[in-house]
Amino acid sequence: MNRLRTPLILLFACLATFTNAQQCLRLWYDKPAADWNAALPIGNGTLAAMIFGGPAVERLQLNEGTVWAGSPNQNNNPEALANLPMVRELVFANKNLEAMNLASAKIMSNTNFGMPYQSMGDLYLSFPGHNAYKAYTRDLNISTAVASVKYTFKGVTYTREYYSSLCDSVLVVRLKASKPKSISCNISMSTPHQKYRISDTEGMLVLTGVTETHERQSGKVRFITQVKPLLKNGRCTVKDGVFSIDKADEATIYISMATNFVNYKDISGDEVAKCTRILNRAYGKDFDKLKASHTAAYQKLFNRVSLDLGTTPQALKPTDQRIREFAKVNDPALAALYFQFGRYLLISCSEPGGQPATLQGIWNEQILPAWDSKYTVNINTEMNYWPSEVTNLSEMSDPLFGMIKDLSVTGRESAREMYGARGWVTHHNTDIWRVTGGIDRAQSGMWPMAGAWLSRHLWEHYQFTGDKVFLQANYPIMLEAARFFVDFLVKEPSHGWLVVCPGSSPENNPKATGGNASTVAGCTMDNQIVFDLFTNVLAATDILNGGIKGLFNTGSKAFADTLRNTLAQMPPMQIGQFSQLQEWMNDWDDPKDQHRHISHLFGLYPGNQISPYRTPELFDAARTSLIYRGDISTGWAMAWRLCFWARLLDGNHAYKLLQNQLDLVSAEPKKGGTYTNMFCAHPPFQIDGNFGCTAGIAEMLLQSQDGFIFVLPALPDVWKTGTVKGLKARGGFELDITWKNNAVETLKIKSLLGGLCRIRSAVELVGKGLKPAKGDNSNPYYRVAETPKPLISEKAQLKPVVLLETQLYDLKMVLGESIVLTRKI
Ligand code: FUC
């Protein structure tokens, strides 16, 4: 009976309140989690848990964001500098394999490849005998950031609620029952660490330990968890590290966690004092009051954006079933839920003052997780932060900005020691200790580009917020990232272009090198990233009136000239023999190459160097490359493809990628998808695909990278009617859009900075002050390929790009003003 009632109520709530899409923001299931990828995540940026929801045995797998193996260290290879000329010589002599092997031996780190992020341990709540339960549901309400479990057993309804408080820094669990004296359970802990102790002191269950030594870096992070229950009636006894609660009416369990980590070079913190202080502050506070303040803090962020794509009867079903059926049955509300789940995850794992989202956000049950669950900065970490600005969660990037700042310090040593260069460098991985040397073998690790890519996040933050104080504070970081390339770029012999060498198009081996080496010179992504960085620094220099005086010896004007000069000597983007955008400096692309990375499309997304309006040939070529690469791939790679198709203005193809991604993960090797808990499967679980899809859905609805705001640029046919509220656009605008029959009905623009708002729309709009746009949008720094476009071969049968006919408008706005535009009838 209950089982039926809940979904029916849910459907009515969903169907009846088109305007309140928040109602449907719930992941729910009719059985406990069978494994970790079915458990539900909660987190406050530092403390996190995966909730399994077993009636007889509840498992809460716990994480604290600073539990990492090892200790402060750096991993530069001191032999790099001496061997750099030889590696370059080999690359220029087309001996790419020899170059790569030498780079592996002499440039990549010979000390360590980065430390793993680790689990804290597990909390178990066992309810003896609760096996023959009925009317079971468990859920995660992402509009309140509270999880719950509900079932009946022997006529009593049991309800559990869980959250990780954004206000009080503790995890809280409440156990309730419909009849007094029904809460009887045992509480115990375990941990996968080697060095630990579980004890009971002063009415608390305490886990202490120290993290692992890894790759010869001694494990020195001390961690602690304190667990303390508070009962309404009943008795609580402790023995041998196990709490026994007997016949309570209700129990609230407060969980505090801490480590001695202070920052990447300081682990002198007092974890016991910190943990105790936090616990004492929260302990005894009323559960509902704590919950209300947590939810209020969460909603302040979360409620900035709402998305309603409509609801179908699919919304009746448990979430796992909806995921299983998404590719076959129209379920727009699931797409909206998935979009908002990405925002939920970002708020829950990336709070100001904490660590940035790792490959798994903050949720990891292992000691040695896949790729160490650290930071892979050749796409994955960046992808984690693609949704933050556009989906109105700017603050969530704060931990990333903190890490970039740290890397600009540690990376300075790497630049000097490894390459004899000024500025700062980071290779394709880093960790909590902010190592910046070359990690893994050169096939993936010989990639000195992360400092430059990460710097674009600083610029993007400015683009969206117009925060000049932020730009001024971070300008030196961007500038020093650029300075590295001024020193590092080298003239290649065939055209005399200035190129990154050694470099690579992430993790891909061109066929021309024998298919077994990635180490090359001047590949397209490297050129695009340097172009992006230099042009952003030049733009920032203009905005800050010539940079910051006294910051560098040569003066900002001279440095700006150097950047312009250097840019003029770099390779242009080139269109190759298959009409593709070349991935490499030479025309080496193989149209059958279906590699997951599509690095040469960086200029399309997240970059803005390829545009249908400014560079139609490159736009066409990028599209051709993407078609060759195919749709099916690992999780994050499909999310990136979704973003590409959105930027290519093809909403239906973007939606196809969403269907591929929002598909229950299968056993098919190398095929990504989604687990039942909505986590992205690389496989294994990797959170980047969640964030990439959230950003991609935003790109389907709104784009602002090309000097104007494009409203509904890539709306798929299936999303006929809908409303999105609160998306952000570059230039400091907040937008609400409603559409019907796949066309804009109303557009509300709020200007947070004042100034000109240029709008592109497929339908004619009317509204106060709206005028047809004047002037052109060309980017003064942009340079199109000078090499002639080769003859088009058989690949030309690909459909030519047909652009929608659109209108371009200008609207002058004053700060704080909101203007509503409507479709012209
Ligand atoms: C990059 C990718 C892999 C994986 C790893 C964590 O190296 O090529 O697919 O996502 O990061």
Side-chain angles (χ1 to χ4, degrees):
M1 171 69 191
N2 256 349
R3 277 181 83 134
L4 264 181
R5 211 170 41 201
T6 313
L8 273 180
I9 291 168
L10 178 78
L11 180 69
F12 284 129
C14 289
L15 292 178
T17 57
F18 272 113
T19 46
N20 189 0
Q22 314 299 63
Q23 298 270 353
C24 306
L25 295 174
R26 181 173 168 254
L27 288 73
W28 76 274
Y29 307 83
D30 57 12
K31 46 186 142 356
D35 57 41
W36 193 88
N37 291 313
L40 293 171
I42 57 170
N44 68 0
T46 305
L47 270 55
M50 291 292 284
I51 300 155
F52 284 64
V57 180
E58 171 61 288
R59 176 182 171 203
L60 264 77
Q61 185 268 313
L62 303 175
N63 283 110
E64 200 277 357
T66 61
V67 178
W68 286 68
S71 42
N73 73 90
Q74 181 54 295
N75 66 345
N76 299 323
N77 188 331
E79 291 187 290
L81 185 55
N83 285 277
L84 179 64
M86 188 51 162
V87 173
R88 285 181 162 163
E89 212 172 286
L90 288 168
V91 171
F92 293 144
N94 296 321
K95 295 182 175 168
N96 304 73
L97 183 61
E98 285 96 318
M100 190 173 85
N101 289 340
L102 186 61
S104 285
K106 303 292 184 186
I107 297 183
M108 295 297 96
S109 172
N110 55 17
T111 54
N112 76 73
F113 294 155
M115 297 296 118
Y117 170 53
Q118 305 190 308
S119 174
M120 169 71 81
D122 297 274
L123 182 75
Y124 289 97
L125 311 175
S126 63
F127 300 80
H130 286 213
N131 295 314
Y133 54 86
K134 290 191 186 121
Y136 179 90
T137 55
R138 71 185 164 101
D139 75 356
L140 173 64
N141 186 331
I142 63 166
S143 70
T144 56
V146 177
S148 78
V149 170
K150 198 169 181 177
Y151 60 93
T152 59
F153 174 65
K154 290 193 176 164
V156 180
T157 301
Y158 292 87
T159 314
R160 306 175 192 158
E161 281 182 281
Y162 319 71
Y163 54 84
S164 180
S165 172
L166 283 169
C167 303
D168 294 83
S169 311
V170 282
L171 276 163
V172 197
V173 181
R174 180 172 66 184
L175 313 173
K176 267 178 104 166
S178 59
K179 257 197 214 152
K181 298 186 181 174
S182 297
I183 304 289
S184 296
C185 69
N186 297 324
I187 308 175
S188 61
M189 286 202 77
S190 74
T191 180
H193 288 280
Q194 291 152 16
K195 293 185 194 159
Y196 71 94
R197 186 161 174 258
I198 293 170
S199 58
D200 45 76
T201 40
E202 299 166 29
M204 287 186 303
L205 194 57
V206 183
L207 162 72
T208 54
V210 63
T211 60
E212 276 55 32
T213 293
H214 184 72
E215 293 168 353
R216 285 176 287 144
Q217 307 303 315
S218 346
K220 290 188 185 162
V221 175
R222 293 191 309 268
F223 54 81
I224 177 166
T225 302
Q226 296 174 337
V227 181
K228 197 169 178 181
L230 181 69
L231 307 187
K232 270 199 190 143
N233 299 320
R235 259 168 28 102
C236 184
T237 51
V238 191
K239 206 180 156 206
D240 301 331
V242 179
F243 266 116
S244 296
I245 294 177
D246 190 36
K247 296 202 178 85
D249 295 342
E250 190 181 307
T252 303
I253 305 167
Y254 301 82
I255 304 157
S256 172
M257 299 185 245
T259 74
N260 59 339
F261 179 88
V262 180
N263 60 46
Y264 72 92
K265 54 186 171 182
D266 180 359
I267 47 170
S268 67
D270 182 343
E271 71 281 9
V272 180
K274 184 176 174 196
C275 194
T276 311
R277 192 173 60 243
I278 291 169
L279 187 74
N280 286 346
R281 222 168 30 210
Y283 187 76
K285 280 197 191 170
D286 178 66
F287 178 90
D288 288 317
K289 277 195 189 144
L290 276 179
K291 185 168 85 172
S293 56
H294 159 69
T295 292
Y298 171 76
Q299 289 182 341
K300 235 173 106 185
L301 300 161
F302 185 76
N303 287 356
R304 289 175 186 166
V305 171
S306 65
L307 175 62
D308 184 352
L309 299 171
T311 305
T312 61
Q314 283 300 99
L316 279 172
K317 298 178 179 172
T319 306
D320 45 346
Q321 202 174 328
R322 292 172 74 184
I323 298 171
R324 193 173 292 117
E325 293 166 5
F326 184 72
K328 285 158 256 139
V329 190
N330 186 28
D331 188 357
L334 188 70
L337 180 67
Y338 189 58
F339 167 83
Q340 291 289 30
F341 184 55
R343 298 183 67 244
Y344 166 82
L345 291 174
L346 196 60
I347 299 170
S348 305
C349 76
S350 185
E351 283 290 318
Q355 292 299 314
T358 73
L359 287 170
Q360 298 185 189
I362 192 171
W363 299 278
N364 162 41
E365 67 169 335
Q366 292 169 312
I367 291 299
L368 275 178
W371 294 287
D372 297 330
S373 187
K374 53 183 188 293
Y375 302 104
T376 308
V377 277
N378 67 5
I379 172 74
N380 317 85
T381 305
E382 289 89 346
M383 185 179 279
N384 285 355
Y385 287 91
W386 287 350
S388 67
E389 301 293 346
V390 67
T391 78
N392 217 333
L393 294 174
S394 237
E395 301 89 328
M396 277 53 255
S397 284
D398 180 80
L400 179 74
F401 299 151
M403 180 165 87
I404 297 171
K405 191 171 183 194
D406 294 345
L407 293 172
S408 74
V409 177
T410 56
R412 182 175 280 273
E413 243 178 81
S414 300
R416 197 186 61 242
E417 279 180 41
M418 294 176 65
Y419 303 120
R422 297 166 300 167
W424 64 282
V425 66
T426 301
H427 294 80
H428 93 306
N429 274 199
T430 188
D431 62 11
I432 200 167
W433 312 116
R434 311 304 190 228
V435 293
T436 45
I439 281 179
D440 299 340
R441 298 186 60 78
Q443 201 275 334
S444 49
M446 190 60 258
W447 190 78
M449 308 305 296
W453 189 345
L454 288 168
S455 293
R456 103 176 301 276
H457 287 253
L458 303 170
W459 175 243
E460 284 282 81
H461 182 74
Y462 170 75
Q463 293 259 290
F464 277 89
T465 61
D467 184 345
K468 270 199 190 171
V469 176
F470 175 89
L471 185 64
Q472 175 133 356
N474 288 283
Y475 177 70
I477 296 176
M478 292 169 63
L479 191 130
E480 292 300 316
R483 197 190 297 282
F484 169 76
F485 288 98
V486 167
D487 286 0
F488 185 74
L489 293 180
V490 57
K491 210 166 241 192
E492 51 82 33
S494 50
H495 312 80
W497 285 327
L498 284 178
V499 293
V500 170
C501 179
S504 55
S505 190
E507 308 185 32
N508 200 5
N509 304 338
K511 236 179 162 179
T513 66
N516 52 11
S518 64
T519 306
V520 294
C523 64
T524 300
M525 182 195 231
D526 289 355
N527 304 330
Q528 290 173 341
I529 291 180
V530 174
F531 176 90
D532 188 70
L533 174 66
F534 282 15
T535 52
N536 294 344
V537 170
L538 285 169
T541 305
D542 283 350
I543 289 160
L544 297 171
N545 296 324
I548 303 168
K549 285 211 176 70
L551 196 70
F552 31 88
N553 305 334
T554 44
S556 57
K557 192 177 169 308
F559 189 68
D561 287 344
T562 303
L563 294 185
R564 280 192 203 100
N565 222 335
T566 309
L567 277 173
Q569 298 176 63
M570 289 187 62
M573 283 184 265
Q574 303 176 80
I575 299 171
Q577 56 177 316
F578 300 108
S579 295
Q580 87 285 11
L581 181 70
Q582 275 180 214
E583 181 163 1
W584 286 280
M585 190 171 70
N586 300 318
D587 193 357
W588 287 341
D589 299 50
D590 172 4
K592 294 204 183 71
D593 180 356
Q594 304 232 315
H595 200 271
R596 60 194 179 288
H597 288 261
I598 316 185
S599 303
H600 47 313
L601 267 51
F602 168 93
L604 178 66
Y605 187 91
N608 63 344
Q609 296 165 48
I610 298 171
S611 143
Y613 302 102
R614 283 185 285 114
T615 65
E617 303 87 352
L618 295 176
F619 184 79
D620 207 2
R623 184 175 174 277
T624 304
S625 291
L626 189 59
I627 291 172
Y628 289 143
R629 217 56 156 218
D631 290 342
I632 300 300
S633 195
T634 58
W636 63 262
M638 294 200 288
W640 202 1
R641 281 156 170 78
L642 193 167
C643 296
F644 289 142
W645 282 113
R647 282 277 169 102
L648 288 168
L649 310 178
D650 188 337
N652 287 336
H653 207 137
Y655 184 74
K656 195 167 158 234
L657 264 302
L658 182 63
Q659 286 177 310
N660 292 336
Q661 174 64 15
L662 195 39
D663 185 18
L664 214 53
V665 67
S666 68
E668 205 181 307
K670 294 197 179 160
K671 154 96 173 70
T674 297
Y675 293 108
T676 53
N677 65 358
M678 274 207 167
F679 270 170
C680 162
H682 180 287
F685 162 50
Q686 219 171 271
I687 206 161
D688 39 20
N690 287 102
F691 294 133
C693 283
T694 292
I697 291 170
E699 289 291 315
M700 291 164 80
L701 303 173
L702 181 96
Q703 293 178 23
S704 64
Q705 72 284 356
D706 219 359
F708 50 81
I709 295 171
F710 199 157
V711 193
L712 304 182
L715 193 68
D717 294 344
V718 283
W719 295 346
K720 279 205 164 25
T721 303
T723 304
V724 64
K725 287 187 181 168
L727 290 182
K728 295 277 294 267
R730 290 169 187 81
F733 300 101
E734 210 170 279
L735 290 105
D736 298 352
I737 312 166
T738 61
W739 67 94
K740 265 190 203 151
N741 297 324
N742 298 88
V744 183
E745 277 284 304
T746 60
L747 171 65
K748 183 175 164 202
I749 307 174
K750 183 171 183 194
S751 170
L752 305 171
L753 298 168
L756 184 75
C757 181
R758 181 165 285 183
I759 303 146
R760 191 180 284 280
S761 157
V763 293
E764 283 185 69
L765 299 171
V766 287
K768 197 185 124 220
L770 193 68
K771 302 220 166 77
K774 287 210 186 94
D776 80 6
N777 291 307
S778 58
N779 176 343
Y781 302 119
Y782 186 73
R783 234 172 116 238
V784 210
E786 278 159 10
T787 44
K789 191 171 168 182
L791 285 178
I792 296 175
S793 51
E794 84 285 358
K795 68 292 162 190
Q797 287 152 25
L798 297 168
K799 261 198 287 172
V801 178
V802 183
L803 287 180
L804 276 179
E805 207 177 290
T806 52
Q807 320 289 322
L808 202 57
Y809 300 101
D810 280 350
L811 185 62
K812 276 197 187 131
M813 299 189 75
V814 295
L815 195 148
E817 188 180 18
S818 286
I819 293 185
V820 180
L821 308 175
T822 53
R823 181 178 182 172
K824 190 174 172 190
I825 316 213

